[in-house]
Amino acid sequence: MTFTWTLWLALFGLIFGHGLPGAVVGGITGFIIDSLRKGQRSRVTPEAGGYISPLFNVLGAVAKSDGRVSEAEIAVAERVMQRMGLEHEQRKQAIIAFNQGKQPEFNVTLAIEELRRWVGLRRDHAFPVLDVVIETVLAEGNPPPEKMAILRQLAFALRVSDMELMALMAMKGYAWNATGYSRGQGHYGGNGGYVPPQRNTQGPDPYTVLGIARSVDDRAVKRAYRKLISEHHPDRLGDLPEAMRKQAESRASEINAAYERIKAERGFK
């Protein structure tokens, strides 16, 4: 922690606050300000690499949630490690965490809570994390409810809405409707039971990608686009690996493509 305010206010108190007593009061005040600023920075900027263990814990838990870990799910974890460019020790850390997540007694809620703390107020960090988990959820095609339950629990913890998660799924080529889902609890309700995400053979629905209904007016379309492109811009990702930055670039491209399709359909600029 730097002590900029501590030093400056102590000096100010020494000069203008009657010597040593003024310096003490100024120094204490400055120390409090420096401490608050440090706490704020720690909430805003996630710790570098602090996501590795809880993220791979969650990937392991997702893979095992239906009772077996498939080769496709292991392959996803391997690809994620490679794309992230994990060094030898980080790779060992990721493998250990993945294996922990596979254990029957593993409490995935604790790992999700760690990711929530790591993401903090940085919603732009929440989307790359969800991207990676979605890859595992969709590794074998239409996922069972156990996998979607963990994904939804994570999205809820990271303050990502149903519409936003539907948009992320759409960008992966899957259509999903959150209707009937008991938010944050990991259970499906309604009379129709569980309906898994389905691969969309027609390509991503542009309105789902932007998280809006087809009935909204042009102004709402533009507003949704500006908000999304701001949140998903790769320049905002800070210390995340290059692989996650590339995923953000891919999301930004999908958002731009969806917006262009809607503009062409509606005929506005």
Side-chain angles (χ1 to χ4, degrees):
M1 181 176 76
T2 59
F3 296 94
T4 304
W5 283 93
T6 304
L7 296 174
W8 276 109
L9 290 183
L11 180 61
F12 183 86
L14 181 65
I15 297 173
F16 299 102
H18 306 292
L20 184 60
V24 171
V25 172
I28 291 173
T29 304
F31 180 78
I32 293 172
I33 294 173
D34 283 326
S35 299
L36 291 173
R37 283 166 61 86
K38 178 180 182 295
Q40 184 179 41
R41 284 195 298 272
S42 67
R43 289 192 297 271
V44 172
T45 304
E47 177 188 355
Y51 59 90
I52 294 175
S53 285
L55 175 59
F56 281 89
N57 280 156
V58 172
L59 297 188
V62 168
K64 185 66 174 180
S65 62
D66 61 349
R68 57 180 288 274
V69 179
S70 69
E71 292 183 4
E73 290 161 336
I74 294 173
V76 168
E78 289 284 348
R79 287 199 301 271
V80 170
M81 292 181 212
Q82 290 174 5
R83 288 204 310 265
M84 287 182 174
L86 298 186
E87 298 175 356
H88 179 68
E89 288 303 317
Q90 291 176 318
R91 184 179 175 83
K92 286 173 58 178
Q93 177 186 354
I95 292 172
I96 291 171
F98 185 83
N99 288 330
Q100 287 173 339
K102 294 190 305 182
Q103 301 308 308
E105 70 278 6
F106 182 76
N107 187 348
V108 71
T109 299
L110 298 180
I112 287 174
E113 176 61 19
E114 280 192 60
L115 283 174
R116 186 196 64 78
R117 287 197 299 266
W118 180 80
V119 168
L121 302 177
R122 296 292 302 271
R123 272 172 48 84
D124 52 317
H125 279 58
F127 295 116
V129 167
L130 282 168
D131 255 354
V132 172
V133 177
I134 289 172
E135 278 192 66
T136 302
V137 168
L138 299 177
E140 298 179 291
N142 301 344
E146 296 85 359
K147 297 184 189 301
M148 285 300 296
I150 295 176
L151 175 62
R152 286 296 296 113
Q153 185 182 352
L154 175 62
F156 180 72
L158 300 185
R159 299 181 298 116
V160 173
S161 70
D162 289 335
M163 290 295 289
E164 289 168 322
L165 186 56
M166 287 166 63
L168 290 174
M169 300 287 284
M171 293 178 201
K172 298 287 187 183
Y174 278 77
W176 175 62
N177 192 332
T179 301
Y181 195 88
S182 180
R183 186 161 175 72
Q185 299 300 317
H187 299 292
Y188 287 85
N191 296 325
Y194 172 70
V195 178
Q198 304 288 327
R199 182 172 290 280
N200 191 342
T201 57
Q202 304 301 316
D205 176 68
Y207 289 90
T208 302
V209 169
L210 295 191
I212 53 178
R214 288 182 174 271
S215 58
V216 302
D217 60 22
D218 294 350
R219 182 177 298 180
V221 172
K222 295 175 182 179
R223 187 166 56 247
Y225 167 74
R226 287 194 295 268
K227 178 177 180 292
L228 270 182
I229 205 66
S230 171
E231 290 183 335
H232 291 267
H233 200 286
D235 289 346
R236 298 187 56 180
L237 295 184
D239 67 331
L240 284 185
E242 185 62 23
M244 286 192 173
R245 191 177 300 277
K246 289 180 179 178
Q247 286 180 302
E249 291 172 356
S250 177
R251 284 195 306 278
S253 295
E254 289 282 1
I255 292 165
N256 283 324
Y259 185 56
E260 291 300 323
R261 285 179 61 188
I262 293 174
K263 284 202 303 181
E265 178 185 304
R266 294 189 174 211
F268 69 82
K269 294 183 178 180

